[in-house]
Amino acid sequence: MNVGLLAQSLLAGITNGLTYALIGIGLAAIFKGSRVPNAMQGEFSVVGAIVVVLLLTGHGWPYWLAILCGGLSGAILGAFIEVAFIRYMIRNAAPEDSYLLLTIGIGLSISAAVLYFFGRESHLLPGFGSDNLYIILDAVVREHVIWLIAISILLTIGLRQFYRTTSVGLKMMAASIDPVGAASIGIDVTLMRTFTFMLGGALGAAAGILITPIIPVDYMIGLQLTLKGFAAAILGGLTNPLGAAIGGLVLGIIEAMAIVGVSSSYKDVITFSLLILIMIAMPQGLLGRAGRTGG
Amino acid sequence: MLAIKELTAGYGQLRVLHGVSMHVGKGEAVAIVGANGAGKTTLVNAVCGLGPVTQGRVIKDDVDLTSDAAHRRGRHGIAVVLENRRLFGEMTVQENLRLAEEHGRAYRSANLQFTWQRICELFPLIAERRRTRIELLSGGQQQMVAIARALLLQPDLLILDEPSTGLAPKIVKEILHVLRGLRSEGMGILLIEQNVGVAVEITDRAYVMALGRIVHEAAGTEWQTFLNDERLAAAYLGKASAGI
Ligand SMILES: Nc1ncnc2c1ncn2[C@@H]1O[C@H](COP(=O)(O)OP(=O)(O)OP(=O)(O)O)[C@@H](O)[C@H]1O
Ligand SMILES: [Mg+2]
């Protein structure tokens, strides 16, 4: 196998992996903050990307402004889901599985709405920066890929800093670790949960916007992204958002190697078989913590 | 200062509190004693907005807090050290305290009674271990952080739910020393304790709780000699706890 091909697929693996990572991070953040396994995380990506497509090509907005609004739309959708549904279900002590059902339902509705309003066509966004190509280790790289890698890494590091150093971030973390303890020192646990959904929504939208110059967005792609995000998050340890980042990368790289080594038709089989093996060996995930309960 | 009126509470079908009334005066130190399952924690949670209330009122300084959310009650000078402490285990000592400190500052804009410096004087260990994650501390150290966290909310009434449970006698002594100091500075204290020997040391008055009701109130010498009165102790607390 030549170096160029290997480098090329490794790069593709990292690119996809970072996208899975962002979706997984959003999923893990929401799960940690509310114990809701969010089966519509990929739909945040679809909505974010579609909003950018609409504003950019439909209304001719500047790209950066459209991107900002795309991210914002994810946050708003996240807040809406928490305020309109999750909050009441938690107040009425809904059983745990009902959240999965709820988010699957919301996901399907969004997918149907996208189909209804935008049809079956898929849409690509232009790459960030210029359309220049670069050669790295014999691999041809679009400038957008470099942006995607840089932005994903920055978002991941930024998220860590946000949780560890800002007051709101610490409160969100406290509310997720022990809601009763948090409320006892004046933290508005419900509000923190809304913030968590906003953060998760914005991260999901960011993932969608970053990947859409490479993989076109359509009404069906949300579920695929959710599955990859879940795999990344579970691989990383579902309650550790930063674990999901590593999980996503590992997933993307395994997938890319499966394509070079075997064939692209079997990539999912190989990837998920490997995932299962890793999960058997490390049930808490790569960075997961044993024995955490509550939240 | 704190008045609880005819409080009724329960979980689902189970009724736990059956019309509990009690009060804590300004700067007064009051104990609630009672056997396991008497409803002491349910009462604390009701006062702090952390648990269910079906009927009755919680009033602090003439303000009715009954329908206030838990996170709004600190503003009225109430702080609680919860049963099992409820700290944030994977966060550091400093991070745990920082959150409470911020709210305390918001509640009392002028002359804070409990500054970071004061807290470190009360609990020297906090300065030493401030970068340590809570889950790596011993139970006694965690209890001190929990008390510090409550004090940083700048309360005038400190509620403690069984702070001595599971701790070595030496640690209990240290904690009692701090509580006694706070009391002498005028801090109101509501101490929930199964260990009457501990409770007597820092409180002036006590309510005895059994099966969700206040069944007895003891003050003065009656309270100071409560343990010697076998009839009272055995009747209300059961042999095991009375014997401590
Ligand atoms: N979350 C809950 N759900 C259902 N029942 C509960 C809950 N918490 C407490 N109870 C029940 O309510 C009753 C009173 O419990 P509570 O914890 O208030 O007692 P306690 O006096 O604090 O006891 P202990 O000394 O063991 O702390 C018990 O019968 C208990 O089983
Ligand atoms: Mg109790």
Side-chain angles (χ1 to χ4, degrees):
Chain A
M1 190 187 305
N2 69 43
V3 178
L5 180 62
L6 192 69
Q8 193 80 55
S9 38
L10 193 64
L11 204 75
I14 292 174
T15 311
N16 288 341
L18 285 169
T19 313
Y20 304 156
L22 285 182
I23 295 172
I25 292 172
L27 244 162
I30 288 180
F31 186 77
K32 187 176 165 61
S34 65
R35 298 280 133 176
V36 173
N38 183 22
M40 50 81 48
Q41 186 68 20
E43 245 62 46
F44 283 135
S45 306
V46 173
V47 168
I50 294 270
V51 165
V52 179
V53 168
L54 268 184
L55 294 178
L56 186 70
T57 56
H59 293 84
W61 286 27
Y63 200 6
W64 65 269
L65 191 59
I67 290 172
L68 209 67
C69 291
L72 210 61
S73 68
I76 293 171
L77 178 59
F80 170 74
I81 290 171
E82 199 283 321
V83 173
F85 305 105
I86 306 283
R87 185 172 293 196
Y88 295 98
M89 292 173 68
I90 289 182
R91 194 170 297 162
N92 297 325
E96 292 215 343
D97 17 344
S98 61
Y99 297 106
L100 195 57
L101 218 57
L102 170 81
T103 53
I104 290 174
I106 294 174
L108 291 175
S109 312
I110 290 175
S111 165
V114 172
L115 175 64
Y116 184 80
F117 290 109
F118 303 97
R120 293 174 187 281
E121 311 93 79
S122 52
H123 304 268
L124 268 179
L125 282 171
F128 292 11
S130 70
D131 282 332
N132 291 347
L133 297 177
Y134 300 88
I135 309 284
I136 300 174
L137 288 174
D138 283 354
V140 184
V141 184
R142 283 173 61 189
E143 183 171 322
H144 177 78
V145 170
I146 296 170
W147 282 102
L148 183 151
I149 294 174
I151 293 173
S152 311
I153 293 174
L154 276 180
L155 281 177
T156 308
I157 296 172
L159 185 71
R160 184 186 165 76
Q161 288 306 100
F162 171 75
Y163 271 126
R164 297 247 57 135
T165 60
T166 69
S167 169
V168 183
L170 283 169
K171 283 181 197 168
M172 284 163 69
M173 191 150 81
S176 79
I177 297 173
D178 192 330
V180 174
S184 83
I185 58 164
I187 295 174
D188 185 342
V189 175
T190 310
L191 184 65
M192 293 309 126
R193 197 170 52 230
T194 311
F195 286 171
T196 298
F197 271 84
M198 292 177 74
L199 186 67
L203 283 167
I209 297 166
L210 283 169
I211 198 70
T212 301
I214 300 172
I215 302 172
V217 60
D218 62 26
Y219 74 100
M220 286 197 325
I221 201 172
L223 184 60
Q224 290 172 48
L225 293 176
T226 301
L227 287 178
K228 296 290 165 62
F230 256 118
I234 292 173
L235 191 57
L238 198 47
T239 53
N240 184 341
L242 298 164
I246 313 267
L249 260 179
V250 170
L251 184 67
I253 292 171
I254 294 178
E255 203 178 77
M257 293 301 118
I259 295 175
V260 225
V262 190
S263 116
S264 70
S265 353
Y266 291 109
K267 76 170 190 309
D268 283 343
V269 179
I270 293 167
T271 310
F272 281 95
S273 308
L274 263 173
L275 278 185
I276 291 169
L277 287 181
I278 294 178
M279 290 317 294
I280 291 172
M282 286 184 274
Q284 296 296 329
L286 298 173
L287 298 185
R289 305 162 57 87
R292 259 242 83 76
T293 54
Chain B
M1 176 164 62
L2 175 74
I4 296 166
K5 299 194 170 155
E6 292 296 327
L7 210 62
T8 305
Y11 306 91
Q13 299 291 347
L14 178 73
R15 295 240 281 157
V16 174
L17 300 182
H18 307 270
V20 171
S21 297
M22 54 163 292
H23 67 95
V24 181
K26 198 165 175 51
E28 199 185 12
V30 175
I32 299 178
V33 295
N36 281 82
K40 305 181 297 292
T41 297
T42 306
L43 179 64
V44 168
N45 287 345
V47 170
C48 300
L50 297 164
V53 170
T54 32
Q55 265 172 46
R57 310 249 136 255
V58 175
I59 292 163
K60 173 87 198 317
D61 301 325
D62 301 324
V63 183
D64 188 339
L65 303 184
T66 320
S67 50
D68 278 16
H71 68 271
R72 296 187 183 283
R73 299 195 185 194
R75 206 169 283 286
H76 299 278
I78 298 179
V80 61
V81 177
L82 293 167
E83 192 170 44
N84 303 326
R85 304 182 277 272
R86 299 283 194 161
L87 294 167
F88 313 119
E90 43 203 276
M91 289 164 56
T92 65
V93 169
Q94 194 166 24
E95 286 165 346
N96 268 266
L97 296 179
R98 172 181 160 181
L99 296 174
E101 188 192 16
E102 276 175 21
H103 289 131
R105 271 180 205 288
Y107 300 157
R108 296 281 137 91
S109 42
N111 36 33
L112 302 181
Q113 193 182 357
F114 297 99
T115 57
W116 183 255
Q117 194 190 352
R118 177 80 208 285
I119 290 296
C120 292
E121 281 164 23
L122 288 175
F123 303 108
L125 113 114
I126 285 176
E128 287 160 30
R129 310 294 304 267
R130 66 179 200 280
R131 290 184 199 289
T132 309
R133 283 209 313 276
I134 294 293
E135 56 200 358
L136 302 176
L137 299 179
S138 71
Q141 293 172 329
Q142 289 187 16
Q143 192 61 263
M144 292 177 187
V145 176
I147 295 173
R149 186 174 73 166
L151 291 177
L152 282 167
L153 293 170
Q154 315 292 336
D156 55 12
L157 175 66
L158 182 64
I159 304 176
L160 303 106
D161 193 351
E162 308 213 28
S164 73
T165 302
L167 303 186
K170 180 174 163 288
I171 306 282
V172 174
K173 231 179 219 145
E174 272 179 63
I175 289 175
L176 284 182
H177 177 73
V178 169
L179 293 181
R180 219 176 282 120
L182 292 173
R183 190 185 73 161
S184 67
E185 290 167 23
M187 171 79 72
I189 291 177
L190 178 59
L191 175 68
I192 285 70
E193 239 332 317
Q194 284 204 38
N195 187 335
V196 176
V198 166
V200 159
E201 280 200 43
I202 46 168
T203 53
D204 322 303
R205 194 157 68 78
Y207 294 96
V208 182
M209 235 178 128
L211 299 175
R213 291 193 168 80
I214 303 280
V215 291
H216 190 72
E217 193 185 333
T221 40
E222 187 199 355
W223 173 229
Q224 295 305 321
T225 58
F226 193 80
L227 275 183
N228 304 338
D229 188 333
E230 275 182 21
R231 182 186 59 85
L232 278 179
Y236 297 131
L237 303 176
K239 277 243 155 18
S241 9
I244 295 171

